[in-house]
Amino acid sequence: MSQTISYTRPYEEAHVTADLSAKAMLWITLLCDQVEQNKSYGELIQTKDALSKFGLYNSQNAMLLGEMTPQMQQYTEATNTLAFMEEVWEKFGKEVMVVRYDHFFEILEKYDMVCGSFNRYMGAIPQEAIDTLNRLDEMWRQKEFNQRYGLTLGYASFYLLKDEDSGIQPLINRIRIPFRVSDRGIMKQISNLTGIKLNATENSDLGSITEALFIAAPAADMKPLEMNVSLATDKLGKLRNAEPSTPEPSPHLFAGYGLRFSGQTQQLSEYEIRMSKRREEIRSIEQAVKDEENRLKDIFRTSDINRYAKIDFISEEPKIVRILRDPFICSLTPHGVLIHAKWGAEAEDATIKRYEQLRDAVMGM
């Protein structure tokens, strides 16, 4: 099949930067509101820590504070995240952003972007990106970049189709954000975004800066992610486990039997008759399994999944649809996606200016 190329450019890079700024600004606002609404819990947390330090677990004070644990956790998470944001602004510069995972995924969907390792990217690299990478590498060599700012990344390579009615979209979701990391909280969030139950990997130390960084780029500029797709729907499982109704006969039970046809005696035993029937049933079951597997594979073939994934039973060339050009460089942290480099910012954009004002206000708190 010949490749169909369709170039459309409804979005400029400034739109992405403005959207990222809006998402980051929304999250900062929510965090500040949580801290403001629950600032009284700061002293209560100190009280609870003191009670715990001296073993006063069963005091009335501890019991009352125990009822407030959810609010305390919310306050602590908000303050810790804001502190982390301030930390990365001071370390990496004011241009970096920390974006909540669900907000980041919304950006990926809107602009048809996917995340992946650098060797999958086929587009142009802006000089700003190269400068950013060199700066991050220098920080790594100076031991200033650790797993607090970027976890060791693994990538999805396997997909199990259990439900044909919702089989394609979860796979596309998974390819957009295909990470495997050791942080359970992050993997839980990715599970919620993809609709696929995912487990955290074993913890592994960073061996190089490239093990923590990834590129988020238009799908048109990323090599499709190689995926091993296995089919395991309930219907297919029943077909695969089906047994022929004719049991396998034992040869010695039918020795000496014969049948007469058209006046001629043929040494066709009842054993052979039953075996022939059993073989026919087995062939019928195998064909039913093959037909069902092909039907499920056709669901993938008739979708646009080959734009995102390389699957062994799909030979069609992917259709290229371009709605964006430039990528950005990121890493994963327990607090959100840390975006190190992005392009298209325009100083006069009101959203970006408002985000910058809010960021500076947090840094001045």
Side-chain angles (χ1 to χ4, degrees), residues 189-203:
Q189 292 187 70
I190 294 177
S191 292
N192 293 336
L193 294 171
T194 60
I196 304 172
K197 185 177 180 180
L198 303 167
N199 297 318
T201 61
E202 293 184 4
N203 188 31

Side-chain angles (χ1 to χ4, degrees), residues 91-307:
K91 180 173 286 290
F92 297 98
K94 290 184 177 182
E95 295 306 310
V96 304
M97 288 183 177
V98 181
V99 181
R100 210 168 70 179
Y101 280 94
D102 56 337
H103 292 165
F104 181 71
F105 190 76
E106 289 172 7
I107 295 291
L108 297 179
E109 284 190 308
K110 179 175 180 179
Y111 297 104
D112 193 31
M113 303 179 77
V114 297
C115 302
S117 55
F118 292 155
N119 59 3
R120 287 178 54 205
Y121 182 62
M122 302 178 295
I125 293 290
Q127 184 60 45
E128 292 176 64
I130 298 173
D131 294 342
T132 296
L133 290 172
N134 284 331
R135 185 170 63 253
L136 291 173
D137 185 56
E138 177 63 24
M139 292 179 66
W140 165 260
R141 287 190 283 110
Q142 297 296 327
K143 301 186 184 303
E144 294 180 3
F145 189 106
N146 55 46
Q147 288 190 311
R148 179 170 171 79
Y149 309 117
L151 296 169
T152 305
L153 299 175
Y155 293 92
S157 60
F158 176 79
Y159 180 67
L160 186 66
L161 177 69
K162 293 183 177 180
D163 182 1
E164 64 176 280
D165 294 331
S166 61
I168 300 298
Q169 191 57 51
L171 178 55
I172 294 176
N173 294 344
R174 185 70 181 114
I175 296 168
R176 288 202 193 282
I177 189 163
F179 307 113
R180 301 177 72 245
V181 294
S182 59
D183 189 284
R184 292 183 180 180
I186 292 176
M187 292 310 295
K188 183 178 180 180
Q189 292 187 70
I190 294 177
S191 292
N192 293 336
L193 294 171
T194 60
I196 304 172
K197 185 177 180 180
L198 303 167
N199 297 318
T201 61
E202 293 184 4
N203 188 31
S204 58
D205 295 332
L206 279 175
S208 69
I209 186 67
T210 56
E211 292 180 2
L213 300 177
F214 66 91
I215 194 163
D221 290 327
M222 293 287 279
K223 288 185 177 181
L225 182 66
E226 294 190 10
M227 295 292 289
N228 178 13
V229 174
S230 293
L231 309 174
T233 62
D234 289 341
K235 181 179 179 180
L236 189 56
K238 290 177 182 178
L239 288 172
R240 285 170 173 167
N241 295 324
E243 292 288 340
S245 60
T246 301
E248 184 174 1
S250 300
H252 70 275
L253 294 178
F254 300 97
Y257 280 86
L259 296 176
R260 186 176 300 276
F261 295 94
S262 303
Q264 297 180 353
T265 301
Q266 298 182 0
Q267 296 302 314
L268 182 61
S269 68
E270 186 177 343
Y271 165 78
E272 292 171 323
I273 295 173
R274 292 193 183 184
M275 280 302 298
S276 178
K277 183 178 180 181
R278 179 180 174 83
R279 284 193 292 269
E280 182 61 32
E281 289 181 357
I282 291 174
R283 283 194 293 270
S284 178
I285 291 171
E286 290 174 345
Q287 185 61 49
V289 170
K290 186 177 181 180
D291 290 344
E292 179 63 11
E293 287 177 342
N294 286 333
R295 189 185 70 82
L296 293 173
K297 289 178 180 179
D298 282 341
I299 294 175
F300 288 85
R301 294 189 187 103
T302 56
S303 72
D304 61 351
I305 190 64
N306 60 335
R307 290 185 54 231

